[in-house]
Amino acid sequence: MLHRPLIVAAALAAVLGTAAPASAKIVEVGRTDAAPACPDNPCLAVSRTTGYQVKVGDERGAFVVPEDGKIVAWSIALGKPTAEQTSYFNKNLGGAPAARLTVLRQGKTLYSRVVTQSPVQQLTPYLGQTVQFPLGRALNVKKGYVIALTVPTWAPALTQLLTDHSSWRASRGRGKCNDTGTQTAQMTLKDVAQYRCLYKARLTYSATLITRPVPNPDASGG
């Protein structure tokens, strides 16, 4: 697991330059504090889609960017499937586990457009860990954007079904919610998809946001 304070300190130096660090905030957008399903039975995984968390329990907005700023890292809590489970997913879902962070701008009737994305990360070396990936190029974000997880193959970053009102949406169309094998992941900038499918579980990922620094009030008196 990567060391978060070192990553954030380096990101602050790169992003803020000579600005006073106290004038910006470090905010974790999203949550990784739930246990992924794998290797339990059933071993559930996010598969070939882009998804974002709508509610964590009764809390809304945990995955919505609260202020303008830059995403400098992202984290994902991964289950550790058995060798048999891993082989099944690899064979049926397009290859080894992989994921990337995606930033969405939401529109009407559940449509969302890709604003920016991180590089795709291969996840096999990190199964069973909560791992943080620093970004070589920070992602510019605005207040109200939604932080999503894009999985072109599969990722054990999903809890068992829950009854606490938690829910997430996937970029699948009407009537396709049970079709978890067809590729619907949003992999290109400006791509638009409709998020018709709602699932009662939690995705286990987050993003590290550094908000824009606030300049001192003009004290020159005019």
Side-chain angles (χ1 to χ4, degrees):
M1 179 177 172
L2 298 174
H3 198 273
R4 183 184 300 269
L6 292 178
I7 291 172
V8 172
L12 272 169
V15 174
L16 300 182
T18 59
S23 66
K25 293 181 291 184
I26 302 171
V27 181
E28 201 67 16
V29 183
R31 303 264 294 269
T32 59
D33 59 346
C38 299
D40 292 346
N41 188 18
C43 172
L44 302 179
V46 189
S47 58
R48 314 194 86 183
T49 197
T50 298
Y52 64 86
Q53 196 72 32
V54 178
K55 293 175 64 179
V56 177
D58 290 320
E59 177 189 2
R60 291 184 179 271
F63 289 73
V64 177
V65 175
E67 297 182 37
D68 293 359
K70 293 178 180 288
I71 300 296
V72 298
W74 66 282
S75 303
I76 186 168
L78 297 166
K80 190 170 185 178
T82 65
E84 182 179 3
Q85 290 166 340
T86 299
S87 177
Y88 174 84
F89 287 136
N90 286 349
K91 181 179 179 180
N92 291 279
L93 295 173
R100 71 195 305 185
L101 197 75
T102 294
V103 179
L104 301 174
R105 184 173 70 243
Q106 293 184 308
K108 297 180 179 179
T109 61
L110 298 177
Y111 280 98
S112 289
R113 181 185 299 272
V114 175
V115 176
T116 186
Q117 294 182 299
S118 74
V120 175
Q121 290 286 346
Q122 297 301 314
L123 302 178
T124 298
Y126 310 105
L127 295 180
Q129 298 185 37
T130 298
V131 60
Q132 184 185 55
F133 298 108
L135 297 178
R137 179 183 64 83
L139 306 179
N140 293 313
V141 294
K142 294 182 178 181
K143 180 179 180 180
Y145 284 175
V146 172
I147 303 299
L149 184 70
T150 290
V151 180
T153 53
W154 65 280
L158 181 64
T159 69
Q160 300 288 3
L161 297 179
L162 300 173
T163 59
D164 67 350
H165 304 156
S166 294
S167 58
W168 66 282
R169 286 193 177 276
S171 55
R172 298 181 176 125
R174 185 189 298 273
K176 303 294 185 180
C177 298
N178 293 326
D179 181 4
T180 57
T182 298
Q183 183 63 265
T184 63
Q186 291 187 272
M187 293 293 288
T188 57
L189 296 180
K190 299 183 180 181
D191 180 56
V192 177
Q194 191 173 33
Y195 285 71
R196 296 292 307 185
C197 296
L198 186 72
Y199 304 93
K200 296 180 179 180
R202 281 181 59 182
L203 300 172
T204 53
Y205 70 98
S206 67
T208 305
L209 167 71
I210 298 179
T211 64
R212 287 184 179 175
V214 178
N216 292 325
D218 186 359
S220 64

